[in-house]
Amino acid sequence: MTFFYKTLPIFWMLLKGVLAGPWSAWMPENIAAFEGTCVVIPCRFNYPEELRPSAVHGIWYFNSPYPKNYPPVVYKSRTSIVHESYLGRTRLLGDLNSRNCTLQITRLSPELTGKYYFRGDLGGYNQYTYSEHCNLEIINKPTIVTPPEVVEGSEVELRCMVPDNCPEMKPIVSWTNHEGLAQYSVYGQVEEEGSTWSLISMLKFLPSRENNHQELGCKVNYINTTFEFDAAAILDVKYIPRIVQTNSSAEVIQGSPVVLVCAVDSNPLALISWLREDDVLYEEVGRSLTLRLENVTYLQDGMYSCVAENIYGKENHTLALTVMYAPWKPVVNVSVIAVEGDPVTILCSTQSNPEPIITIFKEKKVMKTVVYSSQLALEFSSVTHEDDGEYWCIAENQFGQSGSAFNLTIEFAPLILPESKCTAARDTVQCICAAKSNPEAVIVFKLPTRNVTVNETDREFVYSQRTGYTITSILTLRGEVDSQLYIVCSARNLYGTKDQQLQFHHSNSLMWAKVGPVGAVVAFAILIAVVCYVSQTRKKKNMNESSSFMQTENPPVIYSGDYKTPGNLEKSEYGRHPGSDRRLLNKREDLGIDYANIDFTKLSTKDSYTLTEELAEYAEIRVK
């Protein structure tokens, strides 16, 4: 905006009481003007009232008040003799007789900058150089006054001040490079201070961060001249920090390096901080801050924030750093010991990112699997001894696999295994009792008919061996076997007792010993039958078809061992008599054959087609 200054009267208004004392003067201490233009220095002086001079003269000196120093004469009312620097440049605008010493200087140049003194000459010895003086400043640009603080969003006013102390030349003031300002306006006013005048142009606007460091210009022109003076001001706009660049949320693999960058636009510079949760990791004043994390671990997983703050406010940006890693070695709630029949829950847990697939195996058989979970519960409503054993908990994701073994130990009452039995030989009986239990069972052999109880402490008769949860005891008896003899295997631990009568099985040697004579008789009978069959075959030569002769492997043999078995056995303890037991166990008697009887009376009544099974009526072996 451009405007003109209104014409001011050349006479300056002086307030009463300004002049004091008989010899005194008044003029502005400082006054300014543009180079090449003009300036008017207002001046007023006084002298004692008793002096009534017929004429009053005056002299203006430059830079010194004392004539004996021969200072340059700027203006002299008695003559036109002045210093060459002021020839044709100065004239007195005031009336000395009216005590007005106002001086005008034109075509100002830099060398005219300095102090100006006035000396009053009332005739004779009544001459006096006033100590009051005026400092003239020759300038070549206007003054732009900015407020102490320009804050974004708050209206601000810039002032362009132009000296206006020469009525003959009126300045024109305008602003440049201000068109992009928000809500700007320009207006002007005239201000007077110490009898010097200034034309002031004011520019108002709402600053923004985009205006920071923007240059605004003020230009001064004079009508009918080529004079042009300008000045510029750089805006220093203060504003709260703004984060202009930072990382977005990221996923990284454990062990990788991570670089987090936070760039900030702020004025003044902001204190930039990197925080994890509420912990400050790194902070610094500046325009950007880089946080470097080497070999990240799962412990560094979490929310990271960049916070930028200055006295005008703060801003923050939060991102998630997700650290991906393989499952940890699974943790089981301890190796479990349970009693058969109890409910059991086994908890296998791990940690990984992403969540793993967890599987529990037993002997390569999948027991249970869960997908994308940090824990797996294997539940047994009622455990059995078959659930006992080693288990594996395996956790895996795309970054790796980890496993842990654990044991499920079941404590249970004894079980008599199928291999438990007695085997009778010619003069020996060997009984095996195999029991499975946890804790280990104590095995006792009971001979109820003889009121004898034997266990592994009787090492002469009982031998025991252990494999895992199984204990096998072997009882060896020598001597004659009573037909009433039967043996009970009893296994006991703290969870119960199991009794089972052992079945007798004969060894091959004993069988052939007992069946040998009978077999000979049977073989003889078979031979006779074959001879008869051949004889009958020859007699029937005309028969087109020969008859079949069916032969069995062995004739039927009836065994009668007289091993009588009592009714159901009850769990009971029999009293032991060590002396009699040992005598009984050491008694050696040979096993005898009572009889072997074969009836051949029916052979004569059979024809040639009689089956060999019918040839033997019976074979009975009786053991005493």
Side-chain angles (χ1 to χ4, degrees), residues 51-154:
L51 297 178
R52 298 181 181 274
S54 57
V56 178
H57 296 277
I59 303 172
W60 280 94
Y61 291 125
F62 178 68
N63 271 347
S64 177
Y66 306 110
K68 63 181 179 179
N69 293 334
Y70 303 103
V73 175
V74 176
Y75 173 81
K76 188 173 184 179
S77 61
R78 288 184 180 272
T79 66
S80 58
I81 299 174
V82 296
H83 190 272
E84 59 183 355
S85 300
Y86 296 95
L87 285 174
R89 293 184 173 185
T90 58
R91 68 189 181 104
L92 193 67
L93 299 183
D95 182 3
L96 295 177
N97 291 320
S98 301
R99 305 182 184 186
N100 188 333
C101 51
T102 300
L103 176 69
Q104 177 179 305
I105 306 173
T106 60
R107 294 179 288 119
L108 295 172
S109 57
E111 68 272 11
L112 303 183
T113 298
K115 299 177 180 180
Y116 289 81
Y117 295 87
F118 177 72
R119 180 179 177 83
D121 181 3
L122 279 63
Y125 294 101
N126 295 319
Q127 297 181 19
Y128 185 79
T129 300
Y130 296 93
S131 60
E132 294 82 357
H133 61 276
C134 178
N135 289 309
L136 173 62
E137 181 182 7
I138 310 301
I139 61 176
N140 54 18
K141 62 181 181 180
T143 301
I144 298 178
V145 180
T146 59
E149 188 174 73
V150 178
V151 180
E152 181 181 32
S154 297

Side-chain angles (χ1 to χ4, degrees), residues 576-619:
R576 294 190 58 203
H577 303 282
S580 59
D581 292 349
R582 194 168 303 278
R583 287 193 299 272
L584 174 63
L585 294 173
N586 289 332
K587 180 180 180 182
R588 304 176 58 88
E589 296 181 1
D590 294 335
L591 298 176
I593 299 175
D594 192 8
Y595 62 85
N597 194 8
I598 301 175
D599 187 0
F600 297 100
T601 59
K602 297 180 182 180
L603 289 175
S604 60
T605 62
K606 297 294 181 179
D607 58 19
S608 59
Y609 297 98
T610 303
L611 298 178
T612 58
E613 285 85 345
E614 298 176 354
L615 297 179
E617 182 68 15
Y618 67 85

Side-chain angles (χ1 to χ4, degrees), residues 299-361:
L299 295 174
Q300 293 167 300
D301 185 287
M303 304 302 294
Y304 287 76
S305 298
C306 173
V307 179
E309 182 176 9
N310 62 17
I311 61 174
Y312 299 99
K314 70 177 180 179
E315 184 174 90
N316 66 79
H317 175 79
T318 300
L319 62 94
L321 180 62
T322 304
V323 180
M324 315 297 284
Y325 56 97
W328 292 1
K329 185 175 182 179
V331 176
V332 182
N333 54 343
V334 295
S335 291
V336 179
I337 299 177
V339 178
E340 187 170 34
D342 288 349
V344 173
T345 299
I346 298 173
L347 186 64
C348 175
S349 61
T350 185
Q351 181 175 323
S352 70
N353 195 6
E355 296 284 7
I357 299 173
I358 304 178
T359 305
I360 293 181
F361 295 88

